[in-house]
Amino acid sequence: MTSLESKIHSSIGSPSSPIEILLINPNSTKAFTLDLVPVLKKSIPSDVLIDFLTAPESAPRSINDNHDCALSTTVCEEYLNLNNPALTFLEGYSCIIVACFSQHPLVDSLKRAVKGQSRPAVILGILDAAIYSAMGLGGKFGIVTTGQQWEPLFDEAIASMGLSSRYSGTKGTGFDAVSLHGSEVSDIMIKASIELVKQGAEVIILGCGGMSNMRSTLERDLCEKVGRRIPVIDGVQAAVDLGIGYARMGIAPAF
């Protein structure tokens, strides 16, 4: 096996699919990655392959702040040998997704790694993909996330993108990605979403890749509570769909 094939622990779709996507979970909790498999398996087209890769045990179990982002980037750069100028094993992918809801520096590391390849992959973070999707569905979006420490960080991220006028704020639930289970979490997420709707949000974004399997339930329960449809966006699904769209258009990145 090649150095990359030995690190992939799950795949969905046919190996002969013309559109190949690599989804990287930059924390070390493999269960998070595997939770995404059934979610994405329901929706991917027959001509798409998704490979799933999780960072090694030296990466944080849950990414809870910018320090964890930086540490997980360093670990992944070494694990994937991204600083090797002769790197070739990422060639062939249409899209590579970093499945952490943040301005994760691994996105830029991957862009540098594939720069100069004849057909470089599109590199996507799930924060950007979720925001692009949300803006097509409503005027303002709000983000429901894990810990409250993300609230000012996402405020800064949205401001740096020039999108503050489309943003109603972020609400942290007080949980980290490891503890996203149970009815208590669901209740707090609904309450946080309702607060964001009161602040003008017409679309809710799930601010953690570990929330992907909660999207449809939250959308249903939230709409029942507020009496109208409030779309809920999962950044992982949004990034996969965006990557597929670029591949179908035959578009490669500018770098």
Side-chain angles (χ1 to χ4, degrees):
M1 292 191 291
T2 69
S3 57
L4 183 62
E5 287 173 338
S6 64
K7 296 172 173 59
I8 292 167
H9 54 259
S10 185
S11 298
I12 53 178
S14 168
S16 61
S17 298
I19 298 175
E20 297 184 17
I21 294 173
L22 175 63
L23 190 147
I24 300 173
N25 171 14
N27 70 49
S28 61
T29 304
K30 189 179 291 186
F32 292 171
T33 320
L34 295 177
D35 282 346
L36 297 173
V37 173
V39 176
L40 295 173
K41 193 172 184 178
K42 295 176 183 177
S43 61
I44 67 162
S46 59
D47 62 343
V48 175
L49 168 74
I50 304 178
D51 288 332
F52 296 84
L53 183 150
T54 305
E57 292 183 358
S58 51
R61 290 185 63 228
S62 173
I63 295 176
N64 299 319
D65 52 32
N66 283 345
H67 176 267
D68 287 343
C69 285
L71 175 57
S72 66
T73 296
T74 299
V75 171
C76 287
E77 285 175 341
E78 181 178 352
Y79 188 57
L80 296 172
N81 198 22
L82 293 186
N83 295 317
N84 178 2
L87 180 74
T88 60
F89 61 76
L90 295 178
E91 292 184 359
Y93 284 107
S94 303
C95 178
I96 302 173
I97 295 167
V98 178
C100 174
F101 197 93
S102 65
Q103 286 190 314
H104 202 288
L106 183 58
V107 171
D108 287 335
S109 294
L110 286 161
K111 287 180 179 179
R112 289 191 295 269
V114 303
K115 186 176 182 179
Q117 294 180 353
S118 59
R119 191 69 178 177
V122 173
I123 312 297
L124 295 174
I126 63 174
L127 181 150
D128 286 1
I131 291 171
Y132 300 152
S133 297
M135 289 195 300
L137 296 172
K140 285 191 172 185
F141 61 88
I143 301 171
V144 176
T145 191
T146 49
Q148 279 92 357
Q149 74 274 11
W150 287 112
E151 293 177 1
L153 297 178
F154 291 161
D155 291 348
E156 293 171 12
I158 303 306
S160 72
M161 298 170 74
L163 296 174
S164 296
S165 65
R166 301 288 301 273
Y167 173 60
S168 67
T170 293
K171 295 291 183 183
T173 59
F175 299 91
D176 65 15
V178 176
S179 56
L180 282 174
H181 301 285
S183 59
E184 181 183 3
V185 177
S186 298
D187 291 343
I188 292 175
M189 286 178 64
I190 291 170
K191 290 177 182 177
S193 299
I194 291 172
E195 287 185 43
L196 289 168
V197 171
K198 289 178 179 178
Q199 292 172 202
E202 296 177 352
V203 183
I204 298 297
I205 293 174
L206 300 177
C208 175
M211 294 177 173
S212 292
N213 58 5
M214 303 176 180
R215 192 206 68 79
S216 59
T217 300
L218 178 63
E219 184 173 271
R220 181 197 66 207
D221 293 346
L222 179 59
C223 291
E224 288 178 358
K225 294 285 186 181
V226 302
R228 57 189 172 90
R229 180 181 294 112
I230 304 293
V232 175
I233 298 293
D234 160 33
V236 176
Q237 182 73 69
V240 168
D241 289 345
L242 189 58
I244 293 171
Y246 285 142
R248 294 208 192 289
M249 290 186 284
I251 293 176
F255 53 78

